[in-house]
Each structure stands twice: as structure tokens, then as C-alpha cells.
Amino acid sequence: ASSGSPWLVTALACFMTVSSVIEAQVMVFRYRSHVPGGIIAACIAAGTAGLVIGFGEALSRAPMPWPVVIGSVTPSVMFGLAFFPQIWVFVSACSIKGYSFSVSALDAMGSAALSSVILIEGDVTSPDSWAAAAPLVVIVVMHALLGVVAVFIVVSPCGRRCRADAGDAANNA
């Protein structure tokens, strides 16, 4: 995808805005900040935009293969690894308590949409397009894996046994 593509710029701006609002909610509700959420979101968005622009400019001047390694391979590996603690918690506790299928679905759909924009704007057969879309494709695949693990826990004997044990503990309390 060309760096000036209106679809790519719009998709990245939407992603950054949503991320900033989510981070602002965490700051306001978890840490009980007295600063309004809109101000926190604007500060986070401005800081993120500055970092992204600066980092992107530095990568655009870096010799190959550094832009691909830093801009595609590293985030893909990090995004993939980030899902394993949640999977471990599900499996070790035989529970998906606190998991939101809707958040996973929205994240996967957003990542799929942005990766589609990258692939459509570029050449779908080009390794460069796939390298650019790789982190987003990893997010989609890992959400699918997380969903499969969650469904398995819900329908498996292990998950039913843990729910029954939790119900017995609640009834005995």
C-alpha cells in the first residue's frame, strides 16, 4: 500500500483513535484520574501519533532488511506471543471468566479489514504487501485460536467440571 493511500491513512487514524480512547478509559476508571477522559485520550493520541511518525520516518531511511524486521517481523512475533498468557489462564483455570467474545470479534474484524486494505491497495501476490499485513493477520489468527480454546473449555468436560465445582463452592458458602 502506498504511504499516501487515503484508505490506509483513515484505517490507521481510526485504529489510533480507538486505542487512545481505550487507554483513556483505563486511566480514568482504573486509576480514578480526575482529568477528563477526553483530555487523556487526546494526549495519548498526540503522543502516539508523534512516536509513529518519528519511528516511521526513521524506518523509511533505514537500509533493508531493517524496516521489514522491525516493522513487520517483530510486531508479528510480539502480537502472537501476547495471546499466550491469556490462553494459559484459560487452560490452567478451566475457565473463560472475564473473556469477551465481542471484543475479540471486533478486534479480529478490525485487523482483518485493515489487512485487507493493505493487501488490496498493494499487490496481493507481493511479499511486501504480505509483510506489511503480517502483524494484523497474526492478530486475526490468534483471536481465532483464542476463540477455539474458549469454546473448547466451555463445551469440554474440564470446563463443565470447573463450573460445577464453582457452583458447589458458592452454594456451600
Side-chain angles (χ1 to χ4, degrees):
S2 64
S3 61
S5 166
W7 290 110
L8 185 58
V9 171
T10 302
L12 289 172
C14 289
F15 175 76
M16 188 180 70
T17 301
V18 169
S19 297
S20 299
V21 169
I22 290 169
E23 290 298 323
Q25 288 175 334
V26 169
M27 292 296 294
V28 169
F29 295 113
R30 176 176 278 175
Y31 302 109
R32 306 203 192 294
S33 172
H34 299 292
V35 178
I39 292 173
I40 293 172
C43 291
I44 291 171
T48 302
L51 288 171
V52 167
I53 290 168
F55 197 64
E57 186 61 29
L59 279 179
S60 71
R61 300 174 192 278
M64 289 307 261
W66 290 113
V68 173
V69 170
I70 294 171
S72 188
V73 174
T74 302
S76 297
V77 170
M78 292 173 75
F79 282 136
L81 292 175
F83 280 84
F84 284 102
Q86 183 69 57
I87 292 170
W88 173 252
V89 168
F90 285 176
V91 172
S92 64
C94 284
S95 172
I96 60 166
K97 185 176 181 178
Y99 177 62
S100 173
F101 281 99
S102 59
V103 169
S104 279
L106 288 172
D107 193 21
M109 287 188 297
S111 296
L114 186 52
S115 62
S116 297
V117 167
I118 291 169
L119 293 170
I120 289 169
E121 288 286 319
D123 178 8
V124 177
T125 61
S126 166
D128 290 341
S129 294
W130 281 99
L136 300 163
V137 172
V138 167
I139 291 172
V140 173
V141 169
M142 294 308 291
H143 272 298
L145 176 63
L146 190 63
V148 167
V149 169
V151 168
F152 178 76
I153 288 172
V154 168
V155 301
S156 73
C158 173
R160 287 194 298 263
R161 185 178 62 248
C162 287
R163 285 189 300 283
D165 292 346
D168 290 343
N171 291 334
N172 293 332

